Amino acid sequence: MCLLCTCLFIFNLWFVCSAPDESRGYLLVHTNGGLNQMRAGICDMVAVARIINATLVVPELDKRSFWQDTSNFSDVFDEDHFINALANDVKVIKKLPKDLSSATKVVMHFRSWSGLEYYRDEIASLWEEFQVIRAAKSDSRLANNHLPPDIQKLRCRACYKALRFSPKIEAMGKLLVDRMRAYGPFIALHLRYEKDMLAFSGCTHGLSDVEAEELRTIRENTAYWKIKDINATEQRSRGYCPLTPTEVGIFLTGLGYPSNTPIYIAAGEIYGGDTHMADLRSRYPILMSKEKLASVEELEPFTNHASQMAALDYIVSVESDVFIPSYSGNMARAVEGHRRFLGHRKTISPDRKALVRLFDKIEKGLLMEGRKVSNRISEIHKKLQGSPRRRRGPVSGTKGMDRFRSEEAFYVNPLPDCLCKRVSENVNASTASMR
Ligand SMILES: *[C@@H]1O[C@H](CO)[C@@H](O)[C@H](O)[C@H]1NC(C)=O
Ligand SMILES: *[C@@H]1O[C@H](CO)[C@@H](O)[C@H](O)[C@H]1NC(C)=O
Ligand SMILES: *[C@@H]1O[C@H](CO)[C@@H](O)[C@H](O)[C@H]1NC(C)=O
Ligand SMILES: *[C@@H]1O[C@H](CO)[C@@H](O)[C@H](O)[C@H]1NC(C)=O
């Protein structure tokens, strides 16, 4: 038996676990997706390895995703720490032993959102025939709910303790956080106003015809984006569009953040660059980014690696005083969950559907920005600030895969599984930092 303690900020968390059982074979994992999808997948595969009594081989990262990043696991994550931190849970090795490279392998697409029985019975039965199981994909392969408590805790331990970024990335991340802190308490704004996002979602509000056409062409030519015909107006009114930089400005002003609030823009290249940022910048002049906080030379080692650049934004976002995502994508969800785990640091998730209605009225001159709008925005977001609550289950009436899809994902809100103590106490201390 081992007793592993993780002191979480203000929560004392004791994890009780036992050493890994004797290994029955090796689990190879090919992760898929961008950085945050891969992170969640890696943590799930740690749990799967535990369930099926496998030795986990350090996962391979996706090099073919939209981001085309050639980084290896050890370029992005601290490999030795990953192996050592999990020593009491799962045996992890860097490479498949040489004598097994010719052993018979089975390649599996694990069924999405599978529970304990699937892995313990169906998948583990493959050991009777094979010494090596290779997971072809890693995203959403493990159920969010109804897993044994020790498995749920292991997922958190894997994600928030074992899986840290490489020393090089951590050091640069810390430097960015320190430089940002020099401006005072700050907001990290995940501004998902990037070309791929807009092309994929078909959101063209506030763009010129030429820009809208460029995005439509990209969508048309990207084979794995299935939906081609999108009505931008309807998309936006359903709340499916990322807020535009201009809308973010109205939102932040409405929430009451004064114009001298330092803001860190966590994002890749903003679509249209400065033209679309001008309004936000005029409201909030202390608008920073990794490119502004660090020199070209300092950033150079990371520049051509999308995952590593995203990791820098991830670190600053987790450490920020307030985190605000303009869209609820993988990064927003991962950071929100991590911040919850660290003691419910404030994350304000915009209710885009409600906001769009307000923005439209403002745009049409039916409503003026000011106290009334501000009260309304504050009212809508009173309960959307990352404070403690249980993870939401499936939407009622949904069935099959849609039912799983409708659940709040484990890593968005690892509660209550990963916190043993009552969560109501002391929460104020961590969330009271800004407004
Ligand atoms: C894993 O090992 C333990 C201890 O030997 C055993 O009780 C359990 O059934 C094994 N599980 C699987 C899926 O092989
Ligand atoms: C990834 O690792 C392999 C060896 O494991 C190495 O040959 C290769 O150069 C690495 N790739 C990068 C981009 O570092
Ligand atoms: C898009 O939807 C809106 C609202 O439903 C509608 O008024 C408009 O005509 C649609 N546009 C196109 C091009 O179909
Ligand atoms: C938390 O804050 C609320 C309101 O700001 C207050 O009523 C409550 O007593 C505080 N709880 C603790 C444990 O400090």
Side-chain angles (χ1 to χ4, degrees), residues 107-122:
V107 178
M108 291 292 298
H109 278 88
F110 294 153
R111 206 176 59 204
S112 298
W113 293 295
S114 291
L116 182 73
E117 296 73 22
Y118 170 77
Y119 288 107
R120 191 193 54 199
D121 304 338
E122 277 183 55

Side-chain angles (χ1 to χ4, degrees), residues 184-232:
F186 69 95
I187 295 174
L189 173 66
H190 181 44
L191 192 56
R192 193 71 173 92
Y193 206 70
E194 294 144 313
K195 198 184 255 183
D196 67 302
M197 176 70 219
L198 297 173
F200 169 75
S201 61
C203 295
T204 58
H205 185 78
L207 299 180
S208 70
D209 290 347
V210 175
E211 289 171 323
E213 183 54 26
E214 180 192 23
L215 296 173
R216 199 192 59 75
T217 309
I218 294 172
R219 182 166 65 251
E220 205 61 46
N221 295 334
T222 306
Y224 53 88
W225 290 346
K226 298 287 178 253
I227 302 171
K228 305 290 183 191
D229 220 3
I230 298 174
N231 181 325

Side-chain angles (χ1 to χ4, degrees), residues 63 70-75 95 305:
K63 301 184 180 176
T70 56
S71 304
N72 285 345
F73 188 96
S74 61
D75 297 324
K95 274 197 173 129
H305 299 283

